[in-house]
């Protein structure tokens, strides 16, 4: 709207709802000229983009928080690594299952160290080959706790992709020792 003393410019969200209003005031005569309104429109546009970015960031934080809360609630270990198998996320169950602290996991810890030495190269090869596919795979390995105790696990592994490119691995690890023992009995 144009008036002698003010202009009101609204800006809209992605679904068309008004998410903000910019008002321009001019106390002197003459009233706003076309160039003033163009500058106001540019300011409204920048403000709208800024608000959209803020909303997107808030939604991303909320989504990440939800993911972390869900991962922490799982009764299975969850471990995420980069392409070099260096751990960048573990849930509480992984800490409990393997006996390493979260700090130990997150400071230069290679996830392959959780696999028995005789199966380590097999695990490395299997994970590396998986980057070429979109199919999640399951692997059974003999895992090693920090105290040296070995136990059977099932790794459910998926490749983490960013912009279509492999960026790392996400694994859900299930201790199958009790299941194997029950089967043997």
């Amino acid at each position: 709207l144009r008036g002698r003393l003010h202009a009101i410019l609204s800006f809209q969200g992605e679904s068309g709802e008004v998410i903000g209003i910019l008002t321009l005031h001019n106390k002197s005569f003459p009233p706003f000229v076309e160039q003033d309104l163009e500058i106001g429109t540019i300011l409204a546009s920048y403000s709208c983009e800024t608000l959209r970015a803020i909303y997107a960031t808030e939604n991303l934080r909320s989504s990440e928080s939800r993911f972390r809360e869900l991962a922490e609630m799982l009764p299975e270990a969850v471990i995420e690594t980069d392409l070099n198998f260096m751990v960048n996320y573990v849930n509480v169950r992984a800490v409990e299952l393997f006996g390493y602290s979260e700090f130990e996991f997150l400071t230069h810890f290679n996830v392959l160290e959780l696999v028995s030495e005789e199966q380590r190269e097999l695990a490395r090869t299997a994970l590396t080959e998986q980057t070429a596919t979109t199919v999640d795979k399951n692997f059974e390995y003999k895992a090693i706790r920090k105290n040296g105790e070995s136990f059977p696990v099932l790794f459910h592994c998926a490749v983490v992709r960013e912009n279509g490119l492999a960026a790392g691995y996400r694994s859900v690890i299930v201790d199958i020792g009790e299941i194997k023992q029950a089967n043997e009995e």
Side-chain angles (χ1 to χ4, degrees), residues 91-102:
N91 70 349
V92 171
R93 179 65 181 131
V95 169
E96 293 168 353
L97 184 63
F98 291 101
Y100 293 95
S101 70
E102 182 179 9

Side-chain angles (χ1 to χ4, degrees), residues 58-119:
E58 293 289 325
N59 288 337
L60 184 61
R61 280 190 189 126
S62 175
S63 177
E64 181 180 357
S65 176
R66 231 179 0 263
F67 161 75
R68 298 243 182 245
E69 288 171 8
L70 285 170
E72 292 301 323
M73 290 174 52
L74 290 174
E76 288 86 18
V78 177
I79 298 178
E80 225 176 65
T81 72
D82 62 18
L83 284 175
N84 296 315
F85 314 110
M86 300 307 288
V87 175
N88 54 37
Y89 173 79
V90 292
N91 70 349
V92 171
R93 179 65 181 131
V95 169
E96 293 168 353
L97 184 63
F98 291 101
Y100 293 95
S101 70
E102 182 179 9
F103 179 78
E104 289 172 305
F105 269 122
L106 298 178
T107 50
H108 305 296
F109 191 92
N110 189 306
V111 75
L112 295 175
E113 293 177 42
L114 300 176
V115 177
S116 67
E117 203 168 322
E118 62 269 9
Q119 291 182 316

